[in-house]
Amino acid sequence: MTVEAPSRPALAERQARVAVAVLFFTNGALFANLLPRYPQIKADLGLSNSLYGLAVAAFPAGAIAAGLAAGVAIRRLGSARAAVLGTLLTGAGILAAGLADSVVLFAGALFLAGAMDAVTDVAQNAHGLRVQRRYGRSIINSFHAVWSIGAVAGGSMAAAAIALGLSRGQHLTISAVVFAVAACIALRYCLSGPETETGPGAETANDPVPASESASVPDIGGRMEGAGGPGTRGRRTVYVLAALVLIATAGTLVEDAGSSWATLYLSGSLHASVTLAAFGYIALVGAQFIGRVIGDRLVDRFGQRTVARAGGLITAAGMGLALAVPSVPGTVLGFAAAGLGVATLVPAAMHEADELPGLKPGSGLAIVSWLMRLGFLASPPIVGLVTDATSLRVGLLVVPLAGLLAFLLAGVLRNRHH
């Protein structure tokens, strides 16, 4: 159901939008500051590829462990305070990971950082949706685009710190302090009041709708079919939800390949300099940002299903070609193609899940958000094991395979814009 938005939001709403954007920016930048330091940490700790993969999997493991606790934090602290507290503790965990002198401490610090990052992620999205309800129109994609800007800024900040010869402690302390201050300032301009408030007359996708409007869900071909009996409707909803989880997971698999392995592949297998190797991840998140900026317009014109399928093909073809004909420039471009291709996958899966009939408000979104983190948890150890058995080049085949998965399952997305 659509309601016309006010011609211009009030000052408080505009300030809150900027504040939430700052929170998304800091969330993207914090972890990105650590990623280019991974090769040095791996070498200093003397880790094999398999052990390294297990260690960095502690970050998504922490996120999964704490993911469901985010709701408790939001109810007790409010979404804005929970997001800021999570930001402060994420920065502390990342600093501890950078200073760790053993694999146990490294993994433990990443577990803490991942847990707090999950709280921040859910809380900042919850507050962003509060602001969106005040606006009366969709603005959530712009926050995710700002997250990508933050990731590019964080990766570039790390590359500059390496080039300047700053130690990990100096570099990550500066990062933690700068973004902690930014988050605390943003808190002053976030919305106050209860989390359940809505703007005047605003209705969201979670509002109750008449039975006639919720009696159908998309099948695998994207066609709208009658729900049939309760059992048929329930099975179809479960099927679509499972497909949406896999689509979102495909997006997270590509993101993890860029964050955990791009720098290692470029610096190790392709012998790029440490500074240049950082641009594999930077290219991925930079292209992802561009894809999110233009994504809404593409969806309006071509439909979400078509955009997701095209993105899957771009990911598979771009990274597949880069792995087939390895070179430093080609690999950077391959990661860029992957980032562009998966840019809309996670938002599309979340949006579709949030509108599934037969579920309590917010349940579909919560399930997809939580389960897609399994991609982050499973990917590093699997890629590490494949790499030790073969090569990192073979391990990175997870990227084009994820693109093919998204292409094959995109039929559950409706080819119309809401």
Side-chain angles (χ1 to χ4, degrees):
M1 188 176 294
T2 303
V3 176
E4 290 189 9
S7 58
R8 183 174 174 80
L11 177 62
E13 281 74 41
R14 298 198 304 272
Q15 289 177 335
R17 181 177 183 177
V18 173
V20 174
V22 169
L23 293 177
F24 271 81
F25 182 92
T26 60
N27 184 244
L30 272 173
F31 189 48
N33 264 278
L34 178 65
L35 298 177
R37 294 289 190 171
Y38 272 177
Q40 185 184 11
I41 294 173
K42 180 176 180 288
D44 289 349
L45 298 180
L47 304 179
S48 66
N49 286 317
S50 297
L51 190 55
Y52 166 78
L54 289 171
V56 297
F59 187 91
I64 290 174
L68 297 181
V72 177
I74 291 172
R75 288 191 293 272
R76 292 187 177 182
L77 302 174
S79 56
R81 289 189 179 89
V84 172
L85 179 60
T87 298
L88 301 182
L89 294 176
T90 299
I94 288 172
L95 174 59
L99 297 176
D101 58 3
S102 72
V103 66
V104 173
L105 292 177
F106 177 58
L110 285 181
F111 186 91
L112 169 64
M116 293 303 98
D117 179 76
V119 173
T120 301
D121 183 39
V122 175
Q124 68 187 10
N125 273 283
H127 204 76
L129 289 171
R130 279 191 66 193
V131 178
Q132 177 172 275
R133 288 192 290 271
R134 291 281 195 95
Y135 265 65
R137 57 184 172 85
S138 177
I139 59 173
I140 197 69
N141 285 329
S142 67
F143 295 136
H144 287 269
V146 170
W147 183 95
S148 296
I149 296 176
V152 172
S156 301
M157 183 176 171
I162 293 171
L164 292 173
L166 295 181
S167 68
R168 291 200 300 270
Q170 292 171 325
H171 161 215
L172 295 175
T173 297
I174 292 171
S175 170
V177 171
V178 167
F179 297 121
V181 170
C184 290
I185 292 175
L187 179 61
R188 294 185 55 195
Y189 298 97
C190 288
L191 297 176
S192 58
E195 293 295 316
T196 55
E197 66 175 339
T198 60
E203 295 184 58
T204 71
N206 284 330
D207 289 332
V209 295
S212 61
E213 295 183 28
S214 62
S216 58
V217 296
D219 69 356
I220 189 63
R223 300 178 302 275
M224 297 302 292
E225 292 187 352
T232 301
R233 182 170 64 246
R235 286 192 298 272
R236 188 175 292 125
T237 297
V238 171
Y239 170 73
V240 172
L241 187 60
L244 294 174
V245 169
L246 290 175
I247 289 173
T249 300
T252 64
L253 285 173
V254 173
E255 291 180 17
D256 177 74
S259 64
S260 297
W261 300 102
T263 304
L264 286 175
Y265 179 63
L266 284 161
S267 63
S269 303
L270 301 183
H271 309 293
S273 68
V274 176
T275 301
L276 182 59
F279 282 90
Y281 177 69
I282 293 171
L284 185 145
V285 293
Q288 187 180 58
F289 163 72
I290 294 173
R292 285 172 173 170
V293 168
I294 65 175
D296 286 335
R297 281 174 286 178
L298 292 176
V299 168
D300 286 340
R301 183 169 182 177
F302 301 108
Q304 186 64 74
R305 190 193 323 149
T306 301
V307 172
R309 281 178 171 162
L313 287 179
I314 290 172
T315 300
M319 198 62 195
L321 181 61
L323 294 173
V325 187
S327 69
V328 172
T331 299
V332 172
L333 289 175
F335 277 111
L340 181 66
V342 303
T344 65
L345 292 186
V346 172
M350 289 183 172
H351 179 264
E352 197 73 36
D354 206 33
E355 295 193 340
L356 281 177
L359 298 176
K360 293 180 180 179
S363 295
L365 174 60
I367 291 171
V368 170
S369 299
W370 190 62
L371 289 180
M372 76 175 185
R373 292 184 179 272
L374 290 175
F376 278 119
L377 178 62
S379 179
I382 292 174
V383 173
L385 290 171
V386 172
T387 297
D388 279 343
T390 55
S391 68
L392 183 50
R393 182 181 172 191
V394 174
L396 284 174
L397 284 173
V398 67
V399 176
L401 290 176
L404 289 176
L405 180 65
F407 173 80
L408 293 173
L409 296 177
V412 299
L413 301 171
R414 282 169 285 192
N415 227 5
R416 61 187 178 87
H417 182 64
H418 296 271

